Amino acid sequence: MSVIVLLIIVSVLVAGGFLTAFIISVRRGQFSDQTTPAIRMLLDDIKNEKPVEKTKGELNAR
Amino acid sequence: MVLEKSVSERVVCFHCGEDLPSDPITFEGKSFCCLGCRTVYEVLSSNNLGQYYGINQTPGTRQSGVQDKDLGFLNDPSIKSRFIRYSDDQMSIGQFYIPAMHCSSCIWLLENLFKLHNGIFESTVNFGDKILTIKFDHSQLSLAELVRLFRKIGYQPNLSLSDERTGGEKEYSYRLYKKLGVAGFSFGNIMLLSFPEYLGFGGDDLLLRNTFRILIFFLALPVLLYSSTDYFRSAIAAIRERGINIDVPLTLGIIALFGRSTYDLFWTSNPGYMDSFAGLLFFLLIGKLFQHKTFESLNFDRTYQSYFPLSVSVEGIDEDVTIPIGNLKPGDTIIIRNQEIIPADGILTEGEALIDYSFVTGESSPVEVKTGELIYAGGRQTGGIIKLSVVQRTSESYLTRLWNNSSDAKKQHSTYSDFSNVVSKYFTVLILLLAIGASAYHAITSFELAMSVFTAVLIIACPCALALSTPFTFGSAQRILANAGFYVRNPIIIETMAKINTIVFDKTGTLTGLQSLEVRYFGEELSVSDRESFASLFRESVHPLSRRLYLYLKDEITKTTGVNKFSEIAGFGIEGYIDGRIIKAGSAKFLQRENPSQISELVKDFPGNKVYIATDETVRGCFVVSSVIREGVKDMIADAELTNEVFLLSGDTAKQDLSLLKLFRDERKTHFGKTPFEKLEFVKVLRKQGKTVLMVGDGLNDSGAVGAADVGVSVSEDVSGFTPAGDGILTGKRVRDTAKFLRFTKDSMTIIKISFAVSAVYNLAGLSYAVIGQLTPLFAAVLMPLSSITVIVITSLGSLFFARKRGIV
């Protein structure tokens, strides 16, 4: 029976991991915009025709 | 199907969907209403962004009337910093508020901006807030060029001063999410861990039981220390001010729950009430979050500064420069073009000024100003270019003082509902008496039983359902009203609205719409050929008044003729030769030589724009173009007068508006020619008489009165446009529903009373167990969520029911 103690503790820790993930996502602003992502996913991607040097510029920027 | 067909058959502008003029612009087989719309289409299709038009039909906004202004001021570091959030040597991140954002096509286009210019790395839209965040290379693209690019595709960002959002609201809701997350996590886990004991398993296995209990305690601890802090803080603040709000009995319940459960967990064989404790906080926080609905894209706290443009052209020694209006000094000469707003009080030095003060004073006819006379800040020039010598800084102008004056009169709205505060006062006293009485009775037999009964009463009486009914009712009401086009700043205002017994309406822009215009003609009878001539003349001009008058005359004629030597003098009028006659139309000044005094005497008392007409130097008559009373307003006022006193305050001096007077039962309740300060005083006096006043107004002239009323509502055709600070923003076309909205808020109070009664029944049932010492944790664990959910269901369904009944949804 005592193995249940171990299992329960592990399960609470796992749930705690999800809680932490939730808190981090709130902090990073995932809840600041709840409308745009829903619409954005319905829009088709267009072919990315960016010139090459632009991509470079973006890499540099990061 | 039928609907679709009729839409496609109507010919509209391919870009913005507005009706096409008689002479549309065609480009690549598509029709456009104006050059602006065509340009946007051209830019997008040549950059492979034509898909913009594939996602939604006519996704654009009308481009005519959008002005191209010098954006040089955007290089000023102090202004730049308003838009640039981050900058290093390779790129900058800018943020812009773009009011025109309204559909998925907008999102698609604004997030594909990188295709338009090499200097743009990426752009992200926040649709709810209408904010565009853009990462760009400032060596390739300056801020001014970026803004120009936005304009070119029809998404003009808002560049006015001080329209910054503080972000404080957001911070608060982030905290709420986190607290709710912690409470929910603990609630779920504690419930699972408590289950075995409720069902009677594992009681004999001490290791198992103790592990569970320790875990439960440590899961409940963050709920007490983190999730419930707001309630403690608010209760302590209330007691310090010698008052009791709903948070006081809640806090008592929280302490009793946690204290009693801790004792039970460690020193007795009872499992404690920790799951009820975490559940209580979980439900309470859900209520808080529900109530904390904010309309991020709306701004209720505008200052005068957001009405003014960011910059103005100033005459320099060598050339004209554009400077931020904050840097204007007395003595500067500023240059104002057609349709621009005057940013500071100044003396007219050059040009012909015809100033539209309708937003500032409520007077609907533009005012003529002579050289050497003072022009007040806030007016809009209609006509040619004028030059002003600044006499006062913007911050000291007449308009600014009016604004500041109204903010003095601003009242404080509490964040708590008055009704629930009164109820909780009696409730707390009653519960404490009951708890002490019951424990005193049991103290004779056993001290332990007495303590257990004392805490049990506090636990079961914890007014969770009570505390939930106000946020859920007001929260639902706020959402329902928002869907109907009426946005209230915070839910508590709904309670104040339910008490309204006096309504004050402004006229121009509130009861009358600015969109639909009515034409009246005064003067001598016009023959058919005269009408044809004037219609032909008006057809040549793109001025809104000309277009309206052309439509007015069009139905009475069969043909139009060509106009020779047509000329238009901005702000004054138009002229041309038709069939050998000179035909003129325009302001009284434009026809001055012909002395239209007789006719101007005739139309003097009618509000609106006046267009005089003349053939061969003889004035024939005058058209008065005025705004009409909105549809449905008549019935609304009649409805409102049943239960309220209704007043009209107009800044207009014209008294001839009989159509308006007929709306009101009592003529003495209509007041004309009121200055902004008189309006403010009027509202203050009504309040002193003990009336609860709702003020509905639109312009800056009403801002004082809107601020001073118990509930001040700003009317706006476009809710993301400029509105004076107030408690609510109402869309123009829903002014006709004002009376219904008020009834609905009264219904909301009924819902709260019903749900209070229901939660009282639950409390009584629980109390009857608690006083005899029979309250088991399982009973509490079932009763508490059950009563909360009942209240949530009653309030949400009740709000919907009453909204249907009042015809709001």
Side-chain angles (χ1 to χ4, degrees), chain B residues 427 431 434 456-457 459-462 756-776 779-780 782-784 786-787:
Chain B
F427 186 83
I431 290 307
L434 193 67
V457 169
I459 287 170
I460 205 68
C462 182
F756 270 28
V758 170
S759 64
V761 169
Y762 275 111
N763 267 337
L764 281 178
L767 277 172
S768 57
Y769 278 85
V771 286
I772 51 169
Q774 293 296 314
L775 181 69
T776 62
F779 185 77
V782 173
L783 187 77
M784 207 268 321
L786 192 66
S787 66

Side-chain angles (χ1 to χ4, degrees), chain B residues 355-590:
Chain B
I355 309 290
D356 170 13
Y357 279 124
S358 61
F359 206 64
V360 183
T361 61
E363 174 69 58
S364 46
S365 316
V367 179
E368 233 181 273
V369 181
K370 295 189 181 65
T371 312
E373 283 182 349
L374 189 67
I375 299 181
Y376 292 112
R380 189 186 285 275
Q381 158 71 348
T382 56
I385 295 178
I386 53 170
K387 287 183 182 174
L388 304 178
S389 170
V390 175
V391 291
Q392 255 161 0
R393 286 171 196 275
T394 306
S395 56
E396 290 154 6
S397 70
Y398 168 79
L399 181 73
T400 316
R401 270 182 299 154
L402 171 71
W403 199 293
N404 293 340
N405 199 304
S406 75
S407 55
D408 289 346
K410 197 97 205 114
K411 68 274 149 191
Q412 283 293 310
H413 275 297
S414 89
T415 40
Y416 292 94
S417 144
D418 292 338
F419 179 68
S420 73
N421 272 357
V422 171
V423 171
S424 50
K425 207 170 283 174
Y426 291 111
F427 186 83
T428 312
V429 174
L430 194 78
I431 290 307
L432 279 176
L433 286 179
L434 193 67
I436 293 168
S439 59
Y441 172 79
H442 290 292
I444 307 162
T445 43
S446 129
F447 175 74
E448 211 166 35
L449 184 61
M451 275 320 287
S452 129
V453 167
F454 184 77
T455 46
V457 169
L458 288 185
I459 287 170
I460 205 68
C462 182
C464 178
L466 207 67
L468 284 178
S469 53
T470 14
F472 271 96
T473 311
F474 289 156
S476 321
Q478 191 188 21
R479 281 171 174 76
I480 287 166
L481 289 176
N483 281 338
F486 178 42
Y487 305 86
V488 291
R489 174 208 282 264
N490 75 47
I492 300 298
I493 286 165
I494 289 165
E495 186 177 32
T496 324
M497 281 189 68
K499 293 183 199 144
I500 294 291
N501 52 27
T502 309
I503 310 174
V504 181
F505 285 107
D506 166 55
K507 195 198 104 191
T508 321
T510 305
L511 292 186
T512 63
L514 300 171
Q515 314 278 304
S516 46
L517 297 168
E518 181 188 50
V519 179
R520 273 179 283 189
Y521 177 73
F522 300 90
E524 56 184 88
E525 196 72 29
L526 296 177
S527 70
V528 175
S529 73
D530 284 337
R531 285 198 194 124
E532 277 173 5
S533 300
F534 285 116
S536 312
L537 183 74
F538 288 134
R539 206 177 75 124
E540 293 297 314
S541 161
V542 292
H543 192 279
L545 282 177
S546 306
R547 287 195 165 257
R548 182 67 189 88
L549 288 171
Y550 170 68
L551 287 177
Y552 174 74
L553 290 170
K554 198 178 72 174
D555 299 338
E556 300 171 16
I557 56 165
T558 46
K559 63 181 175 70
T560 51
T561 42
V563 182
N564 286 326
K565 291 190 199 162
F566 173 80
S567 69
E568 179 160 6
I569 300 141
F572 287 93
I574 48 178
E575 62 181 0
Y577 287 87
I578 298 170
D579 300 334
R581 291 195 298 181
I582 301 188
I583 311 283
K584 284 187 175 190
S587 66
K589 198 159 187 180
F590 184 60

